[in-house]
């Protein structure tokens, strides 16, 4: 039966090639534009660390005075912690693992004279960072809390920087000069570039190869290395970084199971009250504990532009769909005579409906294939854009299948009304006027 | 032109009529908002910036020893002045649209904190910075040599001086309707007297209407100054930038030295926006084409369905013009219904976007603009089918199907 309907659809579509081409083109363009933007949104809002995201939490405290107002255009100062609060949370050791961190860029001075000095971005972190995020090492490993406390000059390099500095030879144990200080390389990562770089200050660059080195936060403080990312202050103190009135550090804690999460939440609230007793934290207690994905959502990693483009693409798809409904209606009703003959020969309404449904689906498949091509073209153009998320714009299998399904669903939906109208044709009237 | 017969016939073909109206309404709503977004981006990209954009080159020197700044900077500037074609040289902490923002908040009263303070960007200039950037003085004066020499920074985020030059926009924001000269910008415990007002210079990082809230401070050689600004005639600029970059990297072997013309810096800053604007243009064009084709398709179907009626009308005396007009008028009615709904929809979408994204209110003239565009497209699309309808010979009426 389907084979027969399929054959009928093929004949009918070939009979009016221009109309068919236009319908396929319309659905292809609509699907292509929508899928391009959906893919970009999909890759940008993906889970950067699927095995562990369920156990990772970001504590949210707000040490600002009451008078500080929120500025919609500026990064949220309470998204980060001050040095004092981060140190307190680290020392309290209430989670399974916890680490404080800040992004930074340092001048790398290669030993070989062929390379000029260059700036590289990385993170200043505490010891638990590596085991907590299950960071994959190619060689060597991280450092211990004792090394943190001793402000040791050790560094872990990411894949790209290690290759750039030491080629194919093992970097572990080598010395690398950062700013004006020698650091011993104790580990090399296996090209670890989670997308987005969820752990850092995501109000800046969160996509792309953001971090090429990791070194102890205490050491970076010691050497007064510059930090990147947003630093917000409200005091008028001297050295700002160690004060409790400047927020610039990110803090992550891993908690296994809901009881521990609940306990940590309780601990944060107690901490807030305790700080109030010391004359800090003027605001009413409002400690939050975000899960990793909730935190990324809170930080709104997907730029407004991308969402706007998605809306635009969906609006465009809607225009295309209405267009196809109209064209299918015209096409099906034009064949009233044919329908009437079939009805007169015994075909039921259901059969007519099915026949036109199959025809819509055939258009959908063709449109979907075209849409797939257009989406690939769209993604290719996104990849050539200057945004930092550009290189991510690749389709995975699920989006590939999604495109086809969306195209078929869209075209069958578009075919519903015309097919229904066509099967309501009164055969007698049509046959008489013929 | 009688409208009633057209309405009567549309009532018989309700679904195709509704589809055309719906399509035009959707297209109108999307078009208005997309064109508005394009317009906003074009405005952003063309924001004025009162420095000599075409004559300036910027060379950044990062990683030199800040302790040596007081001797390095005069030496560097001296060597740059020696390059043929250089008209003025200075060093600053950042330049407009560099993305490297030195932000601070100032109020108009000594007690201003948080609530009424205004976020600004600070530019620190070495002596001659006004000439090197090509600032345009509107009121007051530029800094004196003493003010440059006396201004130090040390470990402070701002400079230790008491004078500031601000842009016109900032002057109007801080003291609306009053002369800004002699007024004081406060940020406890700091206070700076306005000695000059310059034409609007963009901030290093631009958002919304606050794009021009820039301030300028004098500063003696200091580690914070790392953007060497070299000004020359536009035709010499690229050569001067190359030579300046080479000179500075020879003088500062341990530092990272990079040179760009200012036009490159501006272009790079707005690259995202212009690629987005082009994408929007493309979507609009394709969407209008799809809409036009939909109208062609449905009207052709209609014409074919009514061949007999057309023949009868022709037979009883209607001219070809009458038939053309009939279809054109019909399309005009449908388009009108479409754009009325579309304008309402466009307005609603704009309100939604304003709530959820950084979007401004769409000026009213975008709505009739979009309406006219769709009217024209409708008439354009209906022209072909209408002509075919007019070509139906009267003799059709006498044939039985």
């Amino acid at each position: 039966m389907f084979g027969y309907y399929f054959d009928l659809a093929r004949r009918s579509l070939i009979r009016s090639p221009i109309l068919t081409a236009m319908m396929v083109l319309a659905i292809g363009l609509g699907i292509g534009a929508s899928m391009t933007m959906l893919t970009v949104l999909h890759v940008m809002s993906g889970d950067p660390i699927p095995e562990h995201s369920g156990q990772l939490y970001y504590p949210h405290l707000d040490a600002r005075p009451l008078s500080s107002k929120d500025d919609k255009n500026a990064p949220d100062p309470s998204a980060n912690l001050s040095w004092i609060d981060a140190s307190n949370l680290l020392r309290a050791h209430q989670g399974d693992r916890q680490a404080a961190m800040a992004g930074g860029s340092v001048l790398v001075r290669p030993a070989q004279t062929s390379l000029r000095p260059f700036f590289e971005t990385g993170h200043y972190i505490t010891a638990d960072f590596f085991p907590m995020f299950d960071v994959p090492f190619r060689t060597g490993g991280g450092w211990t809390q004792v090394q943190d406390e001793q402000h040791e000059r050790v560094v872990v390099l990411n894949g790209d920087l290690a290759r750039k500095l030491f080629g194919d030879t093992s970097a572990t144990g080598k010395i690398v000069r950062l700013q004006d200080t020698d650091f011993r390389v104790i580990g090399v990562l296996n090209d670890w570039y989670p997308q987005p770089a969820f752990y850092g200050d995501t109000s800046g660059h969160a996509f792309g190869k953001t971090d090429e080195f990791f070194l102890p936060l205490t050491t970076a403080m010691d050497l007064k290395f510059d930090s990147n990312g947003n630093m917000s202050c409200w005091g008028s103190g001297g050295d700002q970084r160690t004060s409790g009135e400047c927020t610039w550090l990110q803090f992550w804690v891993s908690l296994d199971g809901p009881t521990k999460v609940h306990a940590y939440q309780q601990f944060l609230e107690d901490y807030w009250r305790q700080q109030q007793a010391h004359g800090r934290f003027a605001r009413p207690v409002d400690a939050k504990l975000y899960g990793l994905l909730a935190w990324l959502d809170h930080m709104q990693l997907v730029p407004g532009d991308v969402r706007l483009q998605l809306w635009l693409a969906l609006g465009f798809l809607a225009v295309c769909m209405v267009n196809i409904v109209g064209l299918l209606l015209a096409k099906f009703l034009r064949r009233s005579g044919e329908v009437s003959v079939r009805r007169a020969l015994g075909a039921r309404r259901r059969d007519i409906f099915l026949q036109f449904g199959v025809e819509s689906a055939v258009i959908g498949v063709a449109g979907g294939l075209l849409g797939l091509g257009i989406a690939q073209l769209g993604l290719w153009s996104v990849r050539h854009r200057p945004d930092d998320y550009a290189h991510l714009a690749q389709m995975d299998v699920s989006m590939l299948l999604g495109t086809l399904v969306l195209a078929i669903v869209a075209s069958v939906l578009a075919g519903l009304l015309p097919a229904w109208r066509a099967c309501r044709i009164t055969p007698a009237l049509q046959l008489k006027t013929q | 032109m009688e409208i009633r017969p057209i309405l009567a016939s549309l009532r018989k073909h309700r679904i195709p009529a509704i589809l055309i109206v719906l399509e035009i309404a959707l297209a109108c709503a999307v078009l208005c908002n997309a064109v508005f977004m394009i317009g906003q981006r074009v405005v952003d990209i063309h924001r004025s910036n009162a420095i000599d954009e075409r004559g300036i080159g910027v060379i950044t020197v990062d990683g030199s020893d800040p302790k040596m700044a007081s001797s390095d900077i005069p030496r560097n500037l001296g060597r740059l002045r020696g390059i043929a074609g250089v008209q003025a040289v200075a060093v600053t902490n950042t330049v407009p649209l560099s993305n490297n923002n030195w932000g601070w908040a100032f109020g108009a009263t000594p007690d201003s904190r948080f609530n009424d303070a205004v976020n600004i960007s600070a530019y620190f200039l070495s002596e001659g910075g006004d000439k090197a950037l090509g600032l345009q003085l509107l009121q007051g004066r530029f800094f004196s040599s003493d003010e440059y020499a006396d201004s130090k920074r040390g470990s402070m985020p701002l400079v230790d001086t008491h004078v500031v030059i601000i842009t016109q926009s900032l002057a109007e924001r801080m003291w609306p309707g009053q002369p800004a000269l002699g007024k004081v910008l406060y940020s406890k415990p700091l206070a700076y007297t306005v000695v000059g007002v310059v034409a609007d210079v963009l901030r290093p990082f631009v958002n919304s209407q606050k794009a021009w809230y820039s301030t300028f401070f004098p500063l003696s050689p200091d580690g914070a100054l790392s953007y060497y600004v070299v000004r020359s005639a536009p035709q010499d600029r690229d050569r001067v930038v190359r030579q300046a970059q080479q000179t500075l990297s020879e003088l500062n072997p341990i530092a990272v030295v990079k040179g760009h013309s200012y036009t490159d810096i501006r272009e790079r800053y707005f690259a995202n926006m212009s690629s987005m604007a082009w994408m929007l243009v493309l979507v609009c064009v394709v969407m209008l084409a799809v809409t036009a084709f939909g109208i062609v398709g449905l009207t052709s179907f209609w014409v074919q369905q009514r061949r007999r009626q057309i023949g009868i009308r022709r037979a009883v005396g209607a001219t070809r013009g009458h038939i053309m007009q009939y279809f054109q008028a019909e399309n005009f009615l449908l388009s009108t219904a479409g754009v009325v709904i579309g304008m309402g929809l466009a307005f609603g979408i704009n309100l939604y976007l304003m709530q959820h994204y950084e979007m401004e209110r769409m000026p009213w003239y975008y709505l009739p603009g979009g309406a006219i565009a769709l009217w024209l497209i409708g008439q354009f699309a209906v022209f072909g089918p209408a002509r075919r309808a007019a070509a139906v010979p009267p003799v059709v009426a006498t044939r039985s199907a």
Side-chain angles (χ1 to χ4, degrees):
Chain A
M1 206 52 163
F2 268 104
Y4 175 60
Y5 289 152
F6 183 76
D7 193 47
L8 279 183
R10 195 179 57 83
R11 282 162 192 274
S12 142
L13 293 176
I14 288 173
R15 212 179 308 140
S16 44
I18 297 180
L19 193 67
T20 307
M22 281 301 165
M23 284 194 283
V24 170
L25 192 64
I27 207 160
L29 285 170
I31 295 287
S34 306
M35 288 314 289
T36 303
M37 291 329 297
L38 277 175
T39 305
V40 170
L41 200 72
H42 172 75
V43 294
M44 290 186 79
S45 45
D47 188 341
I49 168 169
E51 302 87 40
H52 302 281
S53 56
Q55 289 109 52
L56 294 172
Y57 291 87
Y58 193 98
H60 183 270
L61 301 172
D62 193 351
R64 288 179 299 165
L66 288 167
S67 57
S68 170
K69 61 177 178 185
D70 291 323
D71 181 355
K72 236 175 60 181
N73 287 319
D76 176 16
S78 67
N80 299 324
L81 293 183
S82 69
W83 172 253
I84 290 184
D85 294 318
S87 306
N88 287 342
L89 293 192
L90 266 186
R91 217 170 301 128
H93 220 278
Q94 294 289 312
D96 296 337
R97 289 199 164 99
Q98 49 262 301
M101 62 208 72
S105 67
V106 299
L107 192 59
V108 183
R109 302 187 192 281
Q112 60 274 56
T113 43
S114 57
L115 275 175
R116 287 209 33 107
F118 57 92
F119 275 96
E120 197 60 85
T121 54
H123 255 76
Y124 314 137
I125 57 175
T126 56
D128 272 359
F129 182 95
F130 297 111
M132 182 164 68
F133 296 142
D134 197 16
V135 180
F137 279 88
R138 187 181 300 144
T139 55
W143 57 84
T144 62
Q145 277 168 34
V146 179
Q147 284 174 299
D148 258 344
E149 280 154 27
Q150 289 168 350
H151 305 198
E152 278 200 23
R153 274 106 209 248
V154 291
V155 65
V156 168
L157 302 182
N158 215 336
D160 272 3
L161 184 59
R163 270 188 296 274
K164 186 168 177 182
L165 290 176
F166 302 104
D168 294 330
T169 59
S170 166
T172 314
K174 298 257 172 58
I175 299 295
V176 55
R177 195 165 178 78
L178 305 175
Q179 303 284 58
D180 300 312
T181 310
D182 283 337
F183 282 78
R184 186 162 49 86
V185 179
I186 55 167
V188 177
L189 300 187
N190 202 359
D191 293 314
W192 189 65
Y193 304 101
Q195 299 296 320
F198 61 94
Y199 47 84
D201 178 355
T202 48
S203 62
H205 288 283
F207 297 96
K209 295 190 171 178
T210 51
D211 289 313
E212 288 297 346
F213 67 84
F214 298 88
L215 56 88
L217 179 63
T218 47
T219 313
M221 295 285 285
D222 239 16
L223 297 169
K224 295 205 163 38
F225 280 3
D226 288 332
S227 65
N228 283 348
N230 181 44
M231 181 188 273
S232 304
C233 300
W234 51 87
S236 44
D239 188 5
Q240 313 258 320
R241 282 214 285 183
T242 51
S243 85
E245 296 177 319
C246 279
T247 55
W248 59 288
L249 290 155
Q250 291 81 49
F251 194 93
W252 288 92
V253 51
S254 80
L255 301 165
D256 194 8
T259 48
K260 282 185 178 168
V261 174
H262 186 74
Y264 203 85
Q265 170 80 33
Q266 199 59 49
F267 159 69
L268 286 176
E269 282 164 20
D270 292 343
Y271 176 76
W272 194 305
R273 279 186 212 102
Q274 182 198 332
Q275 291 298 311
Q276 279 178 332
H278 287 90
R280 297 182 69 225
F281 284 70
R283 302 185 169 213
V285 177
D286 183 26
K288 294 195 190 82
L289 192 58
Y290 287 93
L292 188 146
L293 292 179
W295 176 248
L296 294 183
D297 196 39
H298 173 73
M299 293 301 283
Q300 295 197 320
L301 279 193
V302 181
D305 263 6
V306 171
R307 285 173 212 254
L308 272 181
Q309 288 172 47
L310 177 66
W311 280 113
L312 190 78
L314 290 177
F316 177 57
L317 179 64
V319 172
C320 291
M321 291 272 294
V322 174
N323 188 34
I324 290 161
V325 175
L327 293 179
L328 282 176
L329 189 69
K331 195 167 168 50
F332 292 169
L333 289 187
R334 223 175 247 185
R335 282 151 64 196
S336 302
E338 177 197 321
V339 173
S340 308
V341 173
R342 284 201 64 208
R343 286 293 308 282
L345 290 177
R348 289 160 302 178
R349 283 197 172 146
R350 204 190 313 163
D351 300 319
I352 305 291
F353 193 79
L354 201 60
Q355 179 199 342
F356 287 133
V358 169
E359 193 166 330
S360 313
V362 169
I363 293 173
V365 172
L369 289 175
L370 181 69
L372 216 54
I374 292 175
Q376 296 298 346
L377 206 68
L379 289 172
W380 176 82
S381 82
V382 170
R383 282 198 291 277
H384 283 76
R385 274 167 37 183
D387 308 79
D388 59 349
Y389 59 80
H391 71 283
L392 282 175
Q394 301 272 6
M395 239 186 212
D396 54 16
V397 179
S398 63
M399 292 309 274
L400 217 69
L401 292 177
T403 310
L404 278 178
V405 170
L406 181 66
I408 295 170
V409 168
S411 62
V412 168
L413 275 180
L416 278 184
L417 175 79
W420 182 73
R421 292 290 295 176
C423 72
R424 307 278 303 172
I425 289 168
T426 356
L429 203 66
Q430 287 290 328
L431 287 172
K432 216 157 66 185
T433 55
Q434 283 282 316
Chain B
M1 188 85 217
E2 271 286 352
I3 292 183
R4 244 176 310 159
I6 301 180
L7 289 178
S9 119
L10 284 180
R11 219 169 291 138
K12 286 265 188 243
H13 299 90
R14 223 170 270 161
I15 290 180
I18 289 173
L19 284 175
I20 290 191
V21 169
L22 196 62
E23 187 169 352
I24 289 177
L26 278 174
C28 180
V30 176
L31 183 75
C32 286
N33 280 285
V35 170
F36 176 56
M37 284 184 222
I38 295 170
Q40 276 197 317
R41 292 200 159 62
V42 170
V43 168
D44 276 345
I45 292 170
H46 291 102
R47 280 182 197 277
S48 70
N49 191 14
I51 59 174
D52 181 14
E53 291 196 329
R54 300 200 312 124
I56 291 178
V58 178
I59 298 98
T60 54
V61 178
D62 289 310
S64 55
D65 187 352
K67 290 192 282 295
M68 300 295 287
S70 56
S71 64
D72 280 355
I73 287 178
R75 178 201 62 186
N76 292 346
L77 289 174
R79 287 288 294 275
L80 290 178
R81 272 189 208 101
I83 296 171
V86 170
Q87 294 165 351
V89 185
V91 61
T92 65
N93 63 330
T94 179
V95 293
L97 304 182
S98 65
N99 269 322
N100 181 8
N101 189 33
W102 291 58
W104 201 260
F106 281 113
T109 61
D111 300 322
S112 302
R113 306 226 41 196
F114 303 117
N115 313 328
D116 56 345
V118 176
N119 280 312
I120 56 97
S121 296
Y123 291 104
F124 307 151
L125 309 178
S126 75
E127 188 158 5
D130 51 315
K131 280 192 209 70
L133 284 169
L135 297 179
Q136 296 162 18
L137 193 66
L138 300 176
Q139 294 162 42
R141 61 176 176 85
F142 286 121
F143 305 120
S144 68
S145 292
D146 288 345
E147 283 165 348
Y148 280 113
D150 293 345
S151 174
K152 301 271 189 295
R153 199 179 65 100
S155 65
M156 298 203 318
L158 272 189
V159 300
D160 180 18
T161 180
H162 299 288
V163 289
V164 65
I165 289 176
I166 65 175
T167 58
Q168 199 179 11
S169 288
L170 184 59
E172 267 157 36
R173 166 67 182 78
M174 300 301 294
W175 305 283
Q178 299 174 42
L181 284 188
K183 296 277 194 319
V184 180
L185 283 179
Y186 294 97
S187 173
K188 250 183 188 170
L190 307 163
Y192 300 93
T193 307
V194 176
V195 298
V197 176
V198 291
D200 282 342
V201 174
L202 286 172
R203 298 169 67 168
F205 184 83
V206 172
N207 55 20
S208 68
Q209 291 96 350
K210 299 164 189 159
W212 292 286
Y213 288 1
S214 303
T215 55
F216 300 88
F217 298 89
L219 183 58
S220 58
D222 182 280
L225 301 173
S226 62
Y227 285 70
Y228 286 82
V229 178
V230 190
R231 189 176 175 196
S232 63
Q235 64 270 22
D236 296 337
R237 184 195 61 202
D238 291 347
R239 176 186 52 82
V240 166
V241 169
R242 269 198 310 278
Q243 286 185 348
Q245 178 178 340
Q246 198 176 359
T247 308
L248 286 176
S249 49
E250 279 162 16
L251 288 170
N252 307 277
I254 58 162
V256 180
V257 179
K258 280 190 188 128
H260 298 282
S261 69
Y262 191 77
T263 40
D264 277 359
I265 293 176
R266 181 171 184 131
E267 209 167 287
R268 240 185 330 167
Y269 186 88
F270 289 117
N272 281 358
M273 275 188 201
S274 64
S275 78
M276 166 102 175
W278 280 112
M279 202 211 75
L280 289 173
V281 170
L282 185 73
V283 168
C284 285
V285 169
V286 173
M287 188 185 66
L288 290 182
V290 167
T291 309
F293 185 79
I295 296 173
V296 171
L298 273 181
T299 323
S300 302
F301 165 63
W302 246 329
V303 169
Q304 207 191 6
Q305 262 198 333
R306 295 188 224 164
R307 275 175 72 84
R308 252 175 80 81
Q309 287 91 323
I310 295 167
I312 293 169
R313 278 200 67 194
R314 288 295 313 276
V316 297
T319 61
R320 289 188 177 190
H322 284 138
I323 306 293
M324 285 277 291
Q325 276 166 24
Y326 175 88
F327 282 99
Q328 282 165 343
E330 184 187 72
N331 182 269
F332 184 79
L333 283 181
L334 293 176
S335 302
T336 306
V339 296
V340 167
I341 300 171
M343 285 196 288
L345 208 56
F347 185 69
I349 292 176
N350 181 239
L351 282 185
Y352 175 83
L353 293 180
M354 268 169 59
Q355 254 172 17
H356 292 83
Y357 302 94
E358 285 170 32
M359 184 66 102
E360 285 158 42
R361 181 179 291 283
M362 179 159 50
W364 64 270
Y365 49 79
Y366 275 88
L367 297 176
I372 291 171
L374 279 150
W375 260 317
L376 289 178
I377 284 183
Q379 289 299 311
F380 171 75
V382 85
F383 187 75
R387 261 217 351 209
R388 238 172 296 137
V392 172
V395 73
V396 170
T398 63
R399 294 188 193 133
S400 59

